Every structure is written in structure tokens, then in C-alpha cells.
Coordinates of all heavy atoms in Angstrom, one line a residue:
M1 N 0.9 -1.2 0.0 CA 0.0 0.0 0.0 C 0.9 1.2 0.0 O 1.7 1.4 0.9 CB -0.9 0.0 1.3 CG -1.7 1.2 1.4 SD -3.4 0.9 0.9 CE -4.2 2.5 1.4
I2 N 0.7 2.1 -1.0 CA 1.5 3.3 -1.1 C 0.8 4.4 -0.3 O -0.4 4.7 -0.5 CB 1.7 3.7 -2.6 CG1 2.3 2.5 -3.4 CG2 2.6 4.9 -2.7 CD1 2.4 2.7 -4.8
K3 N 1.6 5.0 0.5 CA 1.1 6.2 1.3 C 1.1 7.4 0.4 O 1.9 7.6 -0.5 CB 1.9 6.4 2.5 CG 1.7 5.4 3.6 CD 2.5 5.7 4.9 CE 4.0 5.3 4.6 NZ 4.8 5.5 5.8
E4 N 0.2 8.3 0.7 CA 0.0 9.6 0.0 C 1.4 10.3 0.1 O 1.8 10.9 -0.9 CB -1.1 10.4 0.7 CG -1.3 11.8 0.1 CD -1.7 11.8 -1.4 OE1 -2.3 10.8 -1.8 OE2 -1.5 12.7 -2.1
E5 N 2.0 10.2 1.2 CA 3.3 10.9 1.5 C 4.4 10.4 0.5 O 5.2 11.2 -0.1 CB 3.8 10.5 2.9 CG 4.8 11.4 3.5 CD 5.2 10.9 4.9 OE1 4.3 10.7 5.7 OE2 6.4 10.7 5.1
D6 N 4.4 9.1 0.2 CA 5.3 8.5 -0.8 C 5.1 9.0 -2.2 O 6.0 9.3 -2.9 CB 5.3 7.0 -0.7 CG 5.7 6.4 0.6 OD1 6.5 7.1 1.2 OD2 5.2 5.3 1.0
I7 N 3.8 9.1 -2.5 CA 3.4 9.6 -3.9 C 3.9 11.0 -4.0 O 4.5 11.4 -5.0 CB 1.9 9.5 -4.1 CG1 1.5 8.0 -4.0 CG2 1.5 10.1 -5.4 CD1 0.0 7.8 -4.0
Q8 N 3.8 11.8 -3.0 CA 4.2 13.2 -3.0 C 5.7 13.2 -3.2 O 6.2 14.1 -4.0 CB 3.9 13.9 -1.7 CG 2.4 14.0 -1.4 CD 1.7 15.2 -2.1 OE1 2.3 16.2 -2.2 NE2 0.5 15.0 -2.6
N9 N 6.4 12.4 -2.5 CA 7.9 12.3 -2.6 C 8.3 11.9 -4.0 O 9.2 12.6 -4.6 CB 8.5 11.3 -1.7 CG 8.7 11.9 -0.3 OD1 8.8 13.1 -0.2 ND2 8.7 11.0 0.7
I10 N 7.7 11.0 -4.6 CA 8.0 10.5 -6.0 C 7.8 11.7 -6.9 O 8.6 12.0 -7.8 CB 7.2 9.3 -6.4 CG1 7.6 8.1 -5.5 CG2 7.4 9.0 -7.9 CD1 6.7 6.9 -5.5
R11 N 6.6 12.3 -6.8 CA 6.3 13.5 -7.6 C 7.4 14.5 -7.5 O 7.8 15.1 -8.5 CB 4.9 14.1 -7.2 CG 3.8 13.2 -7.7 CD 2.7 14.1 -8.3 NE 1.6 13.3 -8.7 CZ 0.5 13.1 -8.0 NH1 0.3 13.7 -6.9 NH2 -0.5 12.4 -8.5
R12 N 7.8 14.8 -6.3 CA 8.8 15.9 -6.1 C 10.1 15.5 -6.7 O 10.7 16.3 -7.3 CB 9.0 16.1 -4.6 CG 8.6 17.5 -4.1 CD 9.2 17.9 -2.8 NE 9.0 16.9 -1.8 CZ 8.0 16.8 -1.0 NH1 7.0 17.7 -1.1 NH2 7.9 15.9 0.0
Q13 N 10.5 14.2 -6.6 CA 11.7 13.8 -7.1 C 11.7 13.8 -8.6 O 12.8 14.0 -9.3 CB 12.1 12.4 -6.6 CG 12.7 12.4 -5.2 CD 12.7 11.1 -4.6 OE1 12.6 10.1 -5.3 NE2 12.8 11.0 -3.3
A14 N 10.6 13.6 -9.2 CA 10.5 13.5 -10.7 C 10.1 14.9 -11.3 O 9.7 15.0 -12.4 CB 9.4 12.5 -11.1
D15 N 10.3 16.0 -10.5 CA 10.0 17.3 -11.0 C 10.8 17.7 -12.2 O 12.0 17.6 -12.2 CB 10.2 18.3 -9.9 CG 9.7 19.7 -10.3 OD1 8.5 19.9 -10.2 OD2 10.6 20.4 -10.8
I16 N 10.1 18.1 -13.2 CA 10.8 18.4 -14.5 C 11.9 19.4 -14.3 O 13.0 19.3 -14.9 CB 9.8 18.7 -15.6 CG1 10.5 18.8 -17.0 CG2 9.0 20.0 -15.3 CD1 9.5 18.7 -18.1
A17 N 11.6 20.5 -13.6 CA 12.6 21.6 -13.5 C 13.8 21.1 -12.7 O 15.0 21.4 -13.1 CB 12.0 22.8 -12.7
D18 N 13.6 20.2 -11.7 CA 14.8 19.7 -11.0 C 15.6 18.8 -11.9 O 16.8 18.9 -11.8 CB 14.3 18.8 -9.8 CG 13.8 19.7 -8.6 OD1 14.1 20.9 -8.6 OD2 13.1 19.2 -7.7
I19 N 14.9 17.9 -12.6 CA 15.7 17.0 -13.4 C 16.4 17.7 -14.6 O 17.6 17.4 -14.8 CB 14.7 15.9 -13.9 CG1 14.4 15.0 -12.7 CG2 15.4 15.0 -15.0 CD1 13.2 14.1 -12.9
I20 N 15.8 18.6 -15.2 CA 16.4 19.4 -16.3 C 17.6 20.1 -15.7 O 18.6 20.3 -16.4 CB 15.4 20.3 -17.0 CG1 14.4 19.4 -17.8 CG2 16.1 21.2 -18.0 CD1 13.4 20.1 -18.7
S21 N 17.5 20.6 -14.5 CA 18.6 21.4 -13.9 C 19.8 20.5 -13.6 O 20.9 21.1 -13.4 CB 18.1 22.1 -12.6 OG 18.0 21.2 -11.6
H22 N 19.7 19.2 -13.7 CA 20.8 18.3 -13.6 C 21.7 18.4 -14.9 O 22.8 18.0 -14.9 CB 20.4 16.9 -13.3 CG 19.9 16.7 -11.9 ND1 20.7 16.8 -10.8 CD2 18.7 16.3 -11.5 CE1 20.0 16.5 -9.7 NE2 18.7 16.3 -10.1
Y23 N 21.0 18.7 -16.0 CA 21.6 18.7 -17.3 C 22.1 20.1 -17.7 O 23.2 20.2 -18.3 CB 20.7 18.1 -18.3 CG 20.3 16.7 -18.0 CD1 19.2 16.3 -17.3 CD2 21.2 15.6 -18.5 CE1 18.9 15.0 -17.0 CE2 20.9 14.3 -18.3 CZ 19.7 14.0 -17.5 OH 19.4 12.7 -17.3
I24 N 21.2 21.1 -17.5 CA 21.5 22.4 -18.0 C 21.2 23.4 -16.9 O 20.5 23.1 -15.9 CB 20.8 22.8 -19.3 CG1 19.2 22.5 -19.1 CG2 21.3 21.9 -20.5 CD1 18.4 23.0 -20.3
D25 N 21.6 24.7 -17.1 CA 21.3 25.7 -16.1 C 19.8 26.1 -16.3 O 19.4 26.5 -17.4 CB 22.2 26.9 -16.3 CG 23.5 26.7 -15.6 OD1 23.5 25.9 -14.6 OD2 24.5 27.4 -16.0
V26 N 19.1 26.1 -15.2 CA 17.7 26.5 -15.2 C 17.5 27.7 -14.3 O 18.0 27.8 -13.2 CB 16.9 25.3 -14.7 CG1 15.4 25.7 -14.4 CG2 16.9 24.1 -15.7
Q27 N 16.8 28.7 -14.9 CA 16.5 29.9 -14.1 C 15.0 30.0 -13.8 O 14.2 29.7 -14.7 CB 16.9 31.2 -14.9 CG 18.4 31.2 -15.2 CD 18.6 32.1 -16.5 OE1 17.9 33.1 -16.7 NE2 19.6 31.7 -17.3
K28 N 14.7 30.5 -12.6 CA 13.3 30.6 -12.2 C 12.8 31.9 -13.0 O 13.5 32.9 -13.1 CB 13.2 30.8 -10.7 CG 11.8 30.4 -10.2 CD 11.8 30.4 -8.7 CE 10.5 29.7 -8.2 NZ 9.3 30.0 -8.9
N29 N 11.6 31.7 -13.5 CA 11.0 32.8 -14.3 C 9.5 32.9 -13.9 O 8.7 32.3 -14.6 CB 11.2 32.5 -15.8 CG 10.7 33.7 -16.6 OD1 10.6 34.8 -16.2 ND2 10.2 33.3 -17.8
G30 N 9.3 33.6 -12.8 CA 7.9 33.6 -12.3 C 7.5 32.3 -11.8 O 8.2 31.6 -11.1
R31 N 6.3 31.8 -12.4 CA 5.8 30.5 -12.0 C 6.5 29.4 -12.8 O 6.4 28.2 -12.4 CB 4.3 30.4 -12.2 CG 3.6 31.2 -11.1 CD 2.2 31.4 -11.6 NE 1.4 30.2 -11.6 CZ 0.2 30.1 -12.3 NH1 -0.1 31.1 -13.1 NH2 -0.5 29.0 -12.2
N32 N 7.2 29.8 -13.8 CA 7.9 28.8 -14.7 C 9.4 28.9 -14.5 O 9.9 29.7 -13.8 CB 7.5 29.0 -16.1 CG 6.0 28.7 -16.4 OD1 5.4 27.8 -15.8 ND2 5.4 29.5 -17.2
Y33 N 10.1 28.1 -15.3 CA 11.5 28.1 -15.4 C 11.9 28.3 -16.8 O 11.2 27.9 -17.7 CB 12.1 26.8 -14.8 CG 11.9 26.7 -13.3 CD1 10.7 26.3 -12.8 CD2 12.9 27.0 -12.5 CE1 10.5 26.2 -11.5 CE2 12.7 26.9 -11.1 CZ 11.5 26.5 -10.6 OH 11.3 26.4 -9.2
K34 N 13.1 28.9 -17.0 CA 13.6 29.0 -18.4 C 15.1 28.6 -18.4 O 15.8 28.6 -17.4 CB 13.4 30.4 -18.9 CG 14.1 31.5 -18.1 CD 13.9 32.9 -18.6 CE 14.7 33.8 -17.8 NZ 14.6 35.2 -18.3
A35 N 15.5 28.2 -19.6 CA 16.8 27.7 -19.8 C 17.3 27.9 -21.2 O 16.4 28.1 -22.1 CB 16.9 26.2 -19.4
V36 N 18.6 28.0 -21.4 CA 19.1 28.0 -22.8 C 18.9 26.7 -23.4 O 19.3 25.6 -22.8 CB 20.6 28.4 -22.7 CG1 21.2 28.3 -24.1 CG2 20.8 29.8 -22.2
C37 N 18.2 26.7 -24.6 CA 17.8 25.4 -25.2 C 19.1 24.6 -25.7 O 19.9 25.2 -26.4 CB 16.9 25.7 -26.4 SG 16.4 24.3 -27.3
P38 N 19.2 23.4 -25.3 CA 20.3 22.6 -25.7 C 20.1 22.0 -27.1 O 21.0 21.3 -27.7 CB 20.4 21.5 -24.7 CG 19.0 21.3 -24.2 CD 18.3 22.6 -24.3
F39 N 18.9 22.2 -27.7 CA 18.6 21.5 -29.0 C 18.8 22.4 -30.2 O 18.5 21.9 -31.3 CB 17.2 20.9 -28.9 CG 16.9 20.0 -27.7 CD1 15.9 20.3 -26.8 CD2 17.8 19.0 -27.5 CE1 15.8 19.5 -25.6 CE2 17.6 18.1 -26.3 CZ 16.6 18.4 -25.4
H40 N 19.1 23.6 -30.0 CA 19.5 24.4 -31.1 C 20.5 25.4 -30.6 O 20.8 25.5 -29.4 CB 18.3 25.1 -31.8 CG 17.8 26.3 -31.0 ND1 16.9 26.2 -30.0 CD2 18.0 27.6 -31.1 CE1 16.6 27.4 -29.5 NE2 17.3 28.3 -30.2
D41 N 21.1 26.2 -31.5 CA 22.1 27.2 -31.2 C 21.5 28.4 -30.5 O 21.2 29.4 -31.1 CB 22.9 27.6 -32.4 CG 24.1 28.4 -32.1 OD1 24.6 28.4 -30.9 OD2 24.6 29.1 -33.0
D42 N 21.3 28.2 -29.2 CA 20.5 29.2 -28.4 C 21.4 30.1 -27.7 O 22.5 29.7 -27.1 CB 19.6 28.5 -27.5 CG 18.4 29.3 -27.0 OD1 18.3 30.5 -27.5 OD2 17.7 28.9 -26.1
H43 N 21.1 31.4 -27.6 CA 21.9 32.4 -26.8 C 21.0 33.0 -25.7 O 21.6 33.3 -24.6 CB 22.5 33.4 -27.7 CG 23.3 32.8 -28.8 ND1 24.6 32.3 -28.5 CD2 23.1 32.6 -30.1 CE1 25.1 31.8 -29.7 NE2 24.2 32.0 -30.6
D44 N 19.8 33.2 -26.0 CA 18.8 33.6 -24.9 C 18.1 32.4 -24.4 O 17.9 31.5 -25.2 CB 17.8 34.6 -25.5 CG 18.5 35.9 -25.9 OD1 19.3 36.4 -25.2 OD2 18.2 36.3 -27.1
P45 N 17.7 32.4 -23.2 CA 16.9 31.2 -22.7 C 15.6 31.1 -23.4 O 14.6 31.9 -23.1 CB 16.8 31.5 -21.2 CG 17.7 32.5 -20.9 CD 17.9 33.4 -22.1
S46 N 15.5 30.3 -24.4 CA 14.2 30.1 -25.2 C 13.4 28.9 -24.7 O 12.2 28.8 -25.1 CB 14.5 29.9 -26.6 OG 15.4 30.8 -27.1
L47 N 14.0 28.1 -23.9 CA 13.3 26.9 -23.4 C 12.6 27.3 -22.1 O 13.1 27.8 -21.1 CB 14.4 25.8 -23.1 CG 13.9 24.4 -22.9 CD1 13.7 23.8 -24.2 CD2 14.8 23.6 -22.0
S48 N 11.3 27.0 -22.2 CA 10.4 27.3 -21.1 C 10.0 26.0 -20.4 O 9.6 25.1 -21.1 CB 9.2 28.1 -21.6 OG 8.2 28.1 -20.6
I49 N 10.1 26.0 -19.1 CA 9.7 24.8 -18.4 C 8.5 25.1 -17.4 O 8.6 26.0 -16.6 CB 10.9 24.3 -17.5 CG1 12.1 24.0 -18.4 CG2 10.5 23.0 -16.8 CD1 13.4 24.0 -17.7
S50 N 7.5 24.3 -17.6 CA 6.3 24.5 -16.7 C 6.3 23.4 -15.6 O 6.1 22.3 -15.9 CB 5.0 24.5 -17.5 OG 3.9 24.4 -16.7
R51 N 6.4 23.9 -14.4 CA 6.4 23.0 -13.3 C 5.0 22.5 -13.1 O 4.8 21.3 -12.7 CB 6.9 23.7 -12.1 CG 7.5 22.8 -11.0 CD 8.3 23.5 -10.0 NE 9.4 22.7 -9.5 CZ 10.3 23.1 -8.7 NH1 10.4 24.4 -8.4 NH2 11.3 22.3 -8.3
E52 N 4.1 23.3 -13.4 CA 2.7 23.0 -13.2 C 2.2 21.9 -14.1 O 1.6 21.0 -13.6 CB 1.9 24.3 -13.5 CG 0.6 24.5 -12.7 CD 0.1 25.9 -13.0 OE1 0.8 26.9 -12.9 OE2 -1.1 26.0 -13.4
K53 N 2.6 22.0 -15.4 CA 2.2 21.0 -16.3 C 3.2 19.9 -16.5 O 3.0 18.9 -17.2 CB 2.0 21.7 -17.7 CG 0.8 22.7 -17.7 CD 0.6 23.2 -19.1 CE -0.2 24.5 -19.0 NZ 0.1 25.4 -20.1
Q54 N 4.5 20.1 -15.9 CA 5.5 19.1 -16.1 C 5.9 18.9 -17.5 O 6.2 17.8 -18.0 CB 5.2 17.8 -15.4 CG 5.0 17.9 -13.9 CD 6.4 18.2 -13.2 OE1 7.3 17.5 -13.3 NE2 6.5 19.3 -12.4
I55 N 6.0 20.0 -18.3 CA 6.4 19.9 -19.7 C 7.4 21.0 -19.9 O 7.6 22.0 -19.2 CB 5.2 20.1 -20.7 CG1 4.5 21.3 -20.4 CG2 4.3 18.8 -20.6 CD1 3.6 21.8 -21.5
Y56 N 8.2 20.9 -21.0 CA 9.1 21.9 -21.5 C 8.7 22.2 -22.9 O 8.1 21.4 -23.6 CB 10.5 21.5 -21.4 CG 11.0 20.5 -22.4 CD1 11.6 20.9 -23.6 CD2 10.8 19.1 -22.1 CE1 12.0 19.9 -24.5 CE2 11.1 18.2 -23.1 CZ 11.8 18.6 -24.2 OH 12.1 17.7 -25.2
K57 N 9.1 23.4 -23.4 CA 8.8 23.8 -24.7 C 9.8 24.9 -25.1 O 10.1 25.9 -24.4 CB 7.4 24.4 -24.8 CG 7.0 24.9 -26.2 CD 6.4 23.8 -27.0 CE 6.2 24.3 -28.4 NZ 6.0 23.1 -29.4
C58 N 10.4 24.7 -26.3 CA 11.3 25.8 -26.8 C 10.5 26.5 -27.9 O 10.0 26.0 -28.8 CB 12.6 25.1 -27.4 SG 13.6 26.4 -28.3
F59 N 10.5 27.9 -27.7 CA 9.8 28.7 -28.6 C 10.5 28.9 -30.0 O 9.9 29.4 -30.9 CB 9.4 30.0 -27.9 CG 8.5 29.8 -26.8 CD1 8.9 29.9 -25.5 CD2 7.1 29.3 -27.0 CE1 8.1 29.6 -24.4 CE2 6.3 29.1 -25.9 CZ 6.8 29.2 -24.6
V60 N 11.8 28.6 -30.0 CA 12.5 28.9 -31.2 C 12.5 27.6 -32.1 O 12.1 27.6 -33.3 CB 13.9 29.4 -30.9 CG1 14.7 29.5 -32.2 CG2 13.9 30.7 -30.2
C61 N 13.0 26.5 -31.6 CA 13.1 25.3 -32.4 C 11.9 24.4 -32.3 O 11.8 23.4 -33.1 CB 14.4 24.5 -32.2 SG 14.5 23.7 -30.6
G62 N 11.1 24.7 -31.4 CA 9.8 23.9 -31.3 C 9.9 22.6 -30.5 O 8.9 21.9 -30.5
S63 N 11.1 22.3 -30.0 CA 11.1 21.0 -29.3 C 10.4 21.1 -27.9 O 10.4 22.2 -27.3 CB 12.6 20.5 -29.1 OG 13.4 21.5 -28.6
G64 N 9.7 20.1 -27.6 CA 9.0 20.1 -26.3 C 8.6 18.7 -25.9 O 8.7 17.8 -26.7
G65 N 8.1 18.6 -24.7 CA 7.6 17.3 -24.3 C 7.7 17.2 -22.8 O 7.7 18.3 -22.1
N66 N 7.7 16.0 -22.3 CA 7.8 15.9 -20.8 C 9.3 15.5 -20.4 O 10.2 15.6 -21.2 CB 6.8 14.8 -20.3 CG 7.1 13.4 -21.0 OD1 8.3 13.1 -21.3 ND2 6.1 12.6 -21.1
V67 N 9.4 15.2 -19.1 CA 10.8 15.0 -18.6 C 11.5 13.9 -19.3 O 12.7 13.9 -19.6 CB 10.7 14.9 -17.1 CG1 10.0 13.6 -16.7 CG2 12.1 14.9 -16.5
F68 N 10.7 12.9 -19.7 CA 11.4 11.7 -20.3 C 11.8 12.0 -21.7 O 12.9 11.6 -22.2 CB 10.4 10.5 -20.3 CG 9.9 10.1 -18.9 CD1 8.7 10.4 -18.5 CD2 10.8 9.6 -18.0 CE1 8.2 10.1 -17.2 CE2 10.4 9.3 -16.7 CZ 9.1 9.5 -16.3
T69 N 11.0 12.8 -22.4 CA 11.4 13.3 -23.8 C 12.7 14.1 -23.7 O 13.6 13.9 -24.5 CB 10.3 14.2 -24.3 OG1 9.0 13.7 -24.0 CG2 10.4 14.3 -25.8
F70 N 12.7 15.0 -22.7 CA 13.9 15.8 -22.5 C 15.2 15.0 -22.3 O 16.2 15.2 -23.0 CB 13.8 16.8 -21.4 CG 15.0 17.7 -21.2 CD1 15.0 18.9 -21.9 CD2 16.0 17.3 -20.4 CE1 16.2 19.7 -21.8 CE2 17.2 18.1 -20.3 CZ 17.2 19.3 -21.0
V71 N 15.1 14.1 -21.4 CA 16.3 13.3 -21.1 C 16.8 12.5 -22.3 O 18.0 12.4 -22.6 CB 16.1 12.4 -19.8 CG1 17.2 11.5 -19.6 CG2 15.9 13.3 -18.6
Q72 N 15.8 11.8 -22.9 CA 16.1 11.0 -24.1 C 16.8 11.9 -25.2 O 17.8 11.5 -25.7 CB 14.8 10.5 -24.6 CG 14.8 9.0 -24.8 CD 13.4 8.4 -25.0 OE1 12.5 9.1 -25.5 NE2 13.2 7.2 -24.6
K73 N 16.1 13.0 -25.5 CA 16.6 13.9 -26.5 C 18.0 14.4 -26.2 O 18.9 14.5 -27.0 CB 15.6 15.0 -26.8 CG 15.4 15.3 -28.2 CD 14.4 16.3 -28.4 CE 14.6 16.9 -29.8 NZ 13.7 18.0 -30.2
Y74 N 18.1 14.8 -24.9 CA 19.4 15.4 -24.5 C 20.5 14.4 -24.6 O 21.6 14.8 -25.0 CB 19.2 15.9 -23.0 CG 20.5 16.7 -22.6 CD1 20.6 18.1 -22.9 CD2 21.5 16.1 -21.9 CE1 21.7 18.8 -22.6 CE2 22.6 16.8 -21.5 CZ 22.7 18.1 -21.8 OH 23.8 18.8 -21.5
E75 N 20.2 13.2 -24.2 CA 21.3 12.2 -24.2 C 21.7 11.8 -25.7 O 22.8 11.6 -26.0 CB 20.9 11.0 -23.4 CG 21.2 11.3 -21.9 CD 20.7 10.2 -21.0 OE1 20.0 9.2 -21.4 OE2 20.9 10.3 -19.8
N76 N 20.7 11.9 -26.6 CA 21.0 11.7 -28.0 C 21.9 12.8 -28.5 O 22.8 12.5 -29.2 CB 19.7 11.7 -28.8 CG 19.0 10.4 -28.7 OD1 19.6 9.4 -28.4 ND2 17.7 10.4 -29.1
V77 N 21.6 14.1 -28.1 CA 22.4 15.2 -28.6 C 23.8 15.1 -28.1 O 24.8 15.2 -28.9 CB 21.8 16.5 -28.1 CG1 22.7 17.7 -28.3 CG2 20.5 16.8 -28.9
S78 N 24.0 14.8 -26.8 CA 25.4 14.7 -26.3 C 26.1 13.5 -26.8 O 27.3 13.5 -27.0 CB 25.4 14.7 -24.7 OG 24.2 14.3 -24.2
F79 N 25.3 12.4 -27.1 CA 25.9 11.2 -27.7 C 26.5 11.5 -29.1 O 27.6 11.1 -29.4 CB 24.9 10.1 -27.8 CG 25.4 8.8 -28.3 CD1 26.3 8.0 -27.5 CD2 25.1 8.4 -29.6 CE1 26.8 6.8 -28.0 CE2 25.6 7.2 -30.1 CZ 26.5 6.4 -29.3
T80 N 25.7 12.3 -29.9 CA 26.1 12.6 -31.2 C 27.3 13.5 -31.2 O 28.2 13.4 -32.0 CB 25.0 13.3 -32.0 OG1 23.8 12.6 -31.7 CG2 25.2 13.4 -33.5
E81 N 27.4 14.4 -30.2 CA 28.5 15.4 -30.2 C 29.8 14.8 -29.6 O 30.8 15.3 -29.9 CB 28.1 16.6 -29.3 CG 27.2 17.6 -30.1 CD 26.7 18.7 -29.2 OE1 26.9 18.6 -27.9 OE2 26.0 19.6 -29.7
A82 N 29.6 13.7 -28.9 CA 30.8 13.1 -28.2 C 31.7 12.4 -29.2 O 31.3 12.0 -30.3 CB 30.4 12.1 -27.1
Ligands
ZN1 ZN1 15.4 25.2 -29.1

């Protein structure tokens, strides 16, 4: 039986802003977070991260998705560059 407390912990640990911040620099931007997009040649933080919806979206190159999409895509990019 999973306690409500455990579910909350899992949710907190899987927070998209926290996880993305392990890979790139994330800045708080009001209720959301923003970051320099790793998926195109970005200079201004174009990547917007919604903690509320647990999604990210880049307004320049259009990449977006959930935390799993981000990690998968990010690891592909770094793999290609390595
Ligand atoms: Zn982008």
C-alpha cells in the first residue's frame, strides 16, 4: 500500500525543473523556469519549463515534451556530439 506521502515524494523527485537542472542551467522565471535550449544554437533562454504542467517547450526550435522526452533527446544530442 503506497502512502500519500510517498506519492508526493516521488512526484517531487520527478519534478521536471529539478531533473532538467541536472543537465543544464535552469533559471526561475515567475511560476515557470527557463533555460538556454540545448537542442539548437541558443543564446537567450528560449526553453520554457512549466512545473505546473511538467512539460518543457522551446519557442525557437519547437522541441517540447515531458521530462522523459527531454532526457532522451538530451542524451541523444550529447551522444552525437561526443
Ligand atoms: Zn530550441
